[in-house]
Amino acid sequence: MPNYMTLATCNLNQWALDWEGNLDRIISSIRLAKDKKATLRVGPELEITGYGCYDHFLESDTFLHSWEMLSRILEDSSCRDILLDIGMPVMHRNVRYNCRIIIFNGQILLIRPKLYLAEGGNYREMRFFTPWGRPGHVEKFFLPRMIQDIVGKKTTTIGDAVISCQDTVVGCETCEELFTPNAPHGQMSLNGIEIFTNSSGSHHELRKLKTRYDLINEATRKAGGIYLYANQQGCDGDRLYYDGSAMIFQNGSLLAQGSQFSLNDVEVVIATCDIEEVRSFRCSPSRAQQATQAMQYDRIEVDFSLSTSGSFQNIHPTQPREPYFHMPSEEIALGPACWLFDYLRRSRQAGFFLPLSGGIDSASTAIIVFSMCRLVVEAVKAGNEQVIADLRSISAEDDWLPSTPAEVCGKLFHTCYMGTEKNSSKETRKRARDLSKMINSYHIDLNIDTIVTAVLGVFNAVTHFTPRFRTQGGTVAEGLSLQNIQSRLRMVLAYLFAQMLPTVRNRRNGGSLLVLGSANVDEQLRGYYTKYDCSSADLNPIGGISKTDLRGFIDWAKDSFTLPILGEFLSALPTAELVPFSETYTQSDEEEMGLTYKELSIFGRLRKVSKLGPFGTWEKLLYEWQDIMTPHEIYEKVKTFFHFYGINRHKMTTVTPAYHAEQYSPDDNRFDERPFLYPYLSWPYKKIEGALKKYEGKVD
């Protein structure tokens, strides 16, 4: 006969070190789960602290406050009569562990440490924690005195054990463990564990959700069982956006899926499952043969049933559904937009300021802000009290309730075209003005010639030398210095306007704006921007996104957001407009870089994702580009890329904090750790040249 149980997982918008805020969101999710008749609630990884505490995990205070917050959950009567899986750091025998705390009715049943830690890309868990690394091993844990007073006992169990309820068995798997070749759920399933919980701190990358989905789906398709995946959602204090997508699977079928991008602080995802279907699914002789040899787990017994007793209950079993995956263009529209809103409300600033150049990159940043405004209005119309309160705090207007994205843009978003008489075209100025009008940003149009002339005047008065552009007979160094002056003065002006515009616009108590940058990931990789120019900002929502994906995003937004002006950005020549133009010369980004944006994207993936140096890159491209280039032409491309990557790597040490969205991001902060002073790579070039000679028949 059917044996139904309603289970809950969740997305929580936690914030590193926001102790009371994190606690409120945890308790809110527990209450919502109980309201929906759930008997098990699973939360994100390290949800009490927030995942992104980093070196704060080395502080004793972090562990003390975690226990203090947990004590409130243990004492809260609304957190009773439901099995709870809660994440926090724990110190055991002077060793720090990333743990799950399994609680029922004010008692700590089990502390389950993470077996295998995430250590790569943006993850540095080994810096803060030690992996338990001993499957099936358990020890006695002495509880802090404040917890002893609440639970009435001195010890509990710590280690890789499982929870045995009256009607089923629950086991834990934490984030990275799912991604390992020998994931814990395999052995647990053979040992009879029927429900798996996975508490995650997984951040967004373009096209990554499908990988996560496939891993969980395959786990339950092969092993059978019910799998609950919880994740953090939002910006918890740095470059990452944790993209939620809480899910519940059963026997290889998706039953429930939460949002990937949202302005909601708490989202509870439930499913009503029949545990008997798991037992039927596992009824195969080959599985039974392996089960008799499975690893044994200590079972912590709890006098509680997850299922509903009796027949003829008012139960509606959850039916399998198809997963939903956003297109990359939608991911760009939604992920950075949610990240920006979280950052804006939590930094307590008055809005955004963007130098809007009339090119596709700054337009992309502007459209992401406009997308944020659309999400905000949707949340307001849905009655999201937190978003409404945040909006009123940001605007310093106590009764403000916007009804359109344009209204939000007009209040929070400020754009500025900073042109020059000789270098800026009428077309870019017009595009910037038309786009700002269409989205209703507060727009300023100005020329910076007088400031540029003043700075050059000071230089000439001291040195008696006047630099010239190359088109006017100057050297490369002179031309670059003249371009850099324009770029850097724009940065200075951007921060002046960002500090003063709220006061100019009579915002209550003034305030300040966050300056947004708009250098894409390919330009940062190549170093094709000026250090400390207007790419130097507070935040860069497109700094982890390729030019190719940005063009796709703009093309998508043109129709999806009904912004026909974006078609003009797509057809325009990418240009920095820092050099005087004429009938015979217009500055072109790709021509100056010596590489197309598509080629840069390929080099970026080979360098970072495929982990190849110059020689390996050349060998790989010999096959991939053999129909479009000669081996020598490929060598010249490789040499060009690694030359400019090397001489410009120093720029990445000061790069604006950017939304992480791409696997080949060159972000020097944590994701892509490299030296920033490179030698001339003579040896790999000699190897390529030697291989070329053999290829061309010059060496026997």
Side-chain angles (χ1 to χ4, degrees), residues 423-531:
N423 305 340
S424 303
S425 66
K426 294 179 181 178
E427 290 78 12
T428 54
R429 190 183 296 268
K430 181 178 182 299
R431 282 199 300 271
R433 183 176 63 248
D434 291 349
L435 177 59
S436 68
K437 184 177 181 180
M438 194 160 283
I439 64 176
N440 196 40
S441 65
Y442 181 91
H443 188 64
I444 299 167
D445 188 322
L446 58 85
N447 283 335
I448 63 172
D449 299 83
T450 54
I451 313 172
V452 174
T453 300
V455 172
L456 287 174
V458 172
F459 180 78
N460 178 263
V462 174
T463 65
H464 307 292
F465 183 85
T466 302
R468 295 173 296 169
F469 289 102
R470 290 191 70 190
T471 55
Q472 299 169 342
T475 64
V476 172
E478 290 176 65
L480 283 175
S481 70
L482 289 172
Q483 294 184 62
N484 290 341
I485 286 172
Q486 299 169 68
S487 299
R488 289 178 176 135
L489 287 174
R490 285 173 176 149
M491 185 269 289
V492 173
L493 275 178
Y495 275 95
L496 173 63
F497 278 102
Q499 277 194 301
M500 295 310 303
L501 278 179
T503 300
V504 170
R505 297 187 68 189
N506 298 315
R507 180 183 182 273
R508 190 177 68 202
N509 298 324
S512 184
L513 307 173
L514 292 166
V515 179
L516 299 181
S518 52
N520 63 64
V521 71
D522 299 321
E523 289 172 348
Q524 294 185 45
L525 183 67
R526 163 61 171 72
Y528 187 67
Y529 65 97
T530 300
K531 198 173 186 179

Side-chain angles (χ1 to χ4, degrees), residues 78 321 329 386 528 585 643:
S78 69
R321 50 160 289 181
S329 294
Q386 184 63 58
Y528 187 67
Y585 177 79
H643 167 71

Side-chain angles (χ1 to χ4, degrees), residues 427-676:
E427 290 78 12
T428 54
R429 190 183 296 268
K430 181 178 182 299
R431 282 199 300 271
R433 183 176 63 248
D434 291 349
L435 177 59
S436 68
K437 184 177 181 180
M438 194 160 283
I439 64 176
N440 196 40
S441 65
Y442 181 91
H443 188 64
I444 299 167
D445 188 322
L446 58 85
N447 283 335
I448 63 172
D449 299 83
T450 54
I451 313 172
V452 174
T453 300
V455 172
L456 287 174
V458 172
F459 180 78
N460 178 263
V462 174
T463 65
H464 307 292
F465 183 85
T466 302
R468 295 173 296 169
F469 289 102
R470 290 191 70 190
T471 55
Q472 299 169 342
T475 64
V476 172
E478 290 176 65
L480 283 175
S481 70
L482 289 172
Q483 294 184 62
N484 290 341
I485 286 172
Q486 299 169 68
S487 299
R488 289 178 176 135
L489 287 174
R490 285 173 176 149
M491 185 269 289
V492 173
L493 275 178
Y495 275 95
L496 173 63
F497 278 102
Q499 277 194 301
M500 295 310 303
L501 278 179
T503 300
V504 170
R505 297 187 68 189
N506 298 315
R507 180 183 182 273
R508 190 177 68 202
N509 298 324
S512 184
L513 307 173
L514 292 166
V515 179
L516 299 181
S518 52
N520 63 64
V521 71
D522 299 321
E523 289 172 348
Q524 294 185 45
L525 183 67
R526 163 61 171 72
Y528 187 67
Y529 65 97
T530 300
K531 198 173 186 179
Y532 303 119
D533 70 347
C534 58
S535 66
S536 296
D538 295 311
L539 300 171
N540 182 356
I542 68 165
I545 305 173
S546 72
K547 189 81 162 189
T548 302
D549 281 335
L550 287 175
R551 290 186 64 84
F553 162 61
I554 289 296
D555 190 40
W556 172 86
K558 174 172 61 71
D559 298 323
S560 298
F561 292 170
T562 318
L563 297 170
I565 181 64
L566 295 179
E568 297 182 23
F569 287 85
L570 288 169
S571 60
L573 176 73
T575 173
E577 290 197 336
L578 295 170
V579 176
F581 63 89
S582 65
E583 293 182 0
T584 58
Y585 177 79
T586 301
Q587 188 178 22
S588 165
D589 290 354
E590 292 186 331
E591 190 175 308
E592 284 197 340
M593 289 191 297
L595 298 160
T596 65
Y597 283 106
K598 184 178 180 181
E599 290 167 351
L600 276 171
S601 190
I602 292 170
F603 278 115
R605 292 186 184 281
L606 292 176
R607 180 197 70 98
K608 179 66 178 175
V609 182
S610 299
K611 303 174 179 63
L612 297 177
F615 184 72
T617 297
W618 178 75
E619 285 197 311
K620 183 82 170 177
L621 292 176
L622 275 180
Y623 296 96
E624 296 189 358
W625 287 356
Q626 60 183 314
D627 296 330
I628 57 176
M629 291 184 201
T630 67
H632 194 274
E633 288 172 333
I634 294 171
Y635 169 46
E636 291 300 325
K637 289 284 186 180
V638 170
K639 201 172 180 180
T640 297
F641 170 76
F642 280 99
H643 167 71
F644 285 106
Y645 162 76
I647 66 171
N648 288 313
R649 180 66 192 187
H650 66 95
K651 296 179 181 180
M652 294 309 301
T653 63
T654 61
V655 70
T656 296
Y659 179 94
H660 178 85
E662 186 54 80
Q663 286 184 314
Y664 68 90
S665 168
D667 184 355
D668 187 68
N669 170 65
R670 184 171 64 252
F671 183 74
D672 188 44
E673 295 180 337
R674 316 264 175 159
F676 54 86

Side-chain angles (χ1 to χ4, degrees), residues 170-189:
V170 181
C172 299
E173 190 166 73
T174 306
C175 197
E176 179 70 11
E177 294 171 2
L178 169 67
F179 291 80
T180 59
N182 187 18
H185 66 257
Q187 283 297 317
M188 283 194 288
S189 69

Side-chain angles (χ1 to χ4, degrees), residues 184-210:
H185 66 257
Q187 283 297 317
M188 283 194 288
S189 69
L190 293 173
N191 192 256
I193 286 80
E194 297 171 328
I195 299 174
F196 311 102
T197 67
N198 187 311
S199 305
S200 186
S202 188
H203 64 76
H204 175 238
E205 274 183 357
L206 293 173
R207 307 169 180 88
K208 178 182 173 183
L209 179 58
K210 181 65 164 58

